[in-house]
Amino acid sequence: MFIDQVKITARAGKGGDGMVAFRREKFVPLGGPAGGDGGRGGNITLRVDEGLRTLMDFRYKHIFKAQNGERGMNKGMTGRGAKDTFISVPPGTTVRDVETDALLADLTENGQEVIIAKGGRGGRGNIHFASPKNPAPEISENGEPGIERQVSLELKVLADVGLIGFPSVGKSTLLSVITSAKPKIGAYQFTTLVPNLGMVRLDDDRSFAVADMPGLIEGASNGVGLGIEFLRHIERTRVLLHLVDMSGVDEQDPFADFGKINHELEKYDPSLLKRPQLIVATKMDMPNSAENLENFKLKLAETKAKDTAIFPISALTHQGLTPLLQQAADLLDKTPSFPLYQDEEPASEKLYEYKADQPDFTVTKDEEGTFVVAGERVERLYKMTNLDRDESLMRFARQIRGMGVDDALRKNGAKNGDLVSILDFTFEFVE
């Protein structure tokens, strides 16, 4: 099964909690604090594996969790950091944040890595909170929560040469002849439902990857047929072989078919027409093919594509295959590797969208009259507070007071005895 679009949830590991501990050696009076820090939580990292060709591994597993860091230890020892969780993806995978649709990475090279969810740092032990006023603090931090993010993975097949054309023009047959690939071949439209890949190896030791692109018909860029389901895979090919059926068996005009396919490419992405393109006249073993090819050449001579090379072939008899493959290899030698065909002229202006700073917290009132304090920063402080230690709780109270939470509660009408909640922690408001 070919799967080229998935959504996954990545949950990075939480940092280990810091420790409250004191030196207790026999001959060390007033030894002081000795609680170590927690270890770092594990990251979620995507890594390119050139042995993969689809995203099928994500068919049944959509949630990935990294390990948490270890707690801090006595004698100021830091807990062990968690190992990162690596997820293998095929080359050609683009990664986007589901919530913002921002492009996080474009993974094209074997071994390339990107962190999509960063693990939390370890909480500090009480060794960090000693001061002249408080030489023996019973304060430690919990580990920082890891990032949780939902990302979408989209595969765009990486191939040197792409075979394009209407259904049943002979793309799969040609691929099966010039490579060891075994695509499904049938005398009906949409035999090919997924991109097929194969490797061509020439006598001069040059080699390149070829992909058979399915689903191109008139209106594909608007969703007709297989729609744009596989048009995106053509974006990663460097040279296009445009196959045109010259047999006339289906009473189709070869030149009209040629124009329709190029029109669909232009509507999807105009830069696709800038790529080197060879016209492959297929099924030349049929009776009317030679006459249809001459008519095709006459019509082509009146268009902008008049200089495009034409290669008559017959996959059945292997006629004309060697010159075609040699020319494709020559074009690849002259064509830059990915990324391709970026606009040569830099944009004269760039639009920056202003985003207002998010407040540290918000204060609302629920149906039961409880004041609810919410916000990324205040919730993060709460999660990193050790609720088992009174000194840590007092420190948390000072921190949120310094953020202005007390003043905001008063402005919203909070009085002595009113309940205030931050996540699952509820306390009374005291003036």
Side-chain angles (χ1 to χ4, degrees), residues 109-148:
E109 300 178 2
N110 185 46
Q112 189 176 354
E113 297 179 358
V114 61
I115 297 175
I116 58 173
K118 192 171 182 60
R121 69 170 178 84
R124 293 179 293 175
N126 69 331
I127 196 172
H128 293 280
F129 298 98
S131 67
K133 290 184 178 180
N134 189 6
E138 294 190 8
I139 302 175
S140 66
E141 288 179 336
N142 290 339
E144 181 183 28
I147 299 296
E148 179 173 340

Side-chain angles (χ1 to χ4, degrees), residues 2 15 42 102 149 222 282 375 381 395 402 429:
F2 185 86
R149 170 183 275 166
N222 295 325
T282 64
L381 285 176
R395 177 173 178 266
F429 179 70

